[in-house]
Amino acid sequence: AAAAPRAPLSCLRLSDLDPKILPALKELPQGLPGVQVQERKSEKPTSWRVVLPPQGGAAAANRRLESLQQAGVDDAFVIRDPGPLQWGISLGLFRSQESAEKRLTELRGKNVKGAQIVPRTTSVAELTYSCPPSVAADLRRRIQARFPQLSTDACRP
């Protein structure tokens, strides 16, 4: 007798997930037969910051800030938080890259040199469940019941 043809798998994808909820999402298919879970992590920009790179200390950063104010840039501040941008100068935080680029153009018009755009990112995860079609509806119901804010996308297994 010929082997029965395998039914094609169904595929559900959840994107832009907060990594904190991954353990719970991975447990959801427990008890459902034939479910495989794949996880992918990535970084997603959430905002864009226009900055002048670190100035080499507080005194140098304050001098640069004064020269910016003399050039008519009065909405800048020194970044004091420890990290790769400490003693740099923040020239604005924007929700879109286009807005950050407009700011950069405006600064160049005021002869401000050396400013750059630095994306601020957050970690996001994507989970893909592949499962027999008979299980897919049940799995989707479990996801919606526990995490009503998430939308499941169909995908190719």
Side-chain angles (χ1 to χ4, degrees), residues 49-52 65 75-79 88-93 103:
R49 190 177 222 176
V50 178
V51 296
L52 286 168
L65 190 61
D75 53 354
F77 66 89
V78 174
I79 301 167
I89 295 178
S90 177
L91 298 160
L93 185 62
R103 174 66 170 161

Side-chain angles (χ1 to χ4, degrees), residues 107-129:
L107 290 164
R108 286 187 186 122
K110 292 181 178 180
N111 212 17
V112 175
K113 292 180 173 41
Q116 58 197 42
I117 297 173
V118 178
R120 295 175 83 180
T121 61
T122 185
S123 292
V124 291
E126 177 182 284
L127 275 189
T128 305
Y129 301 97

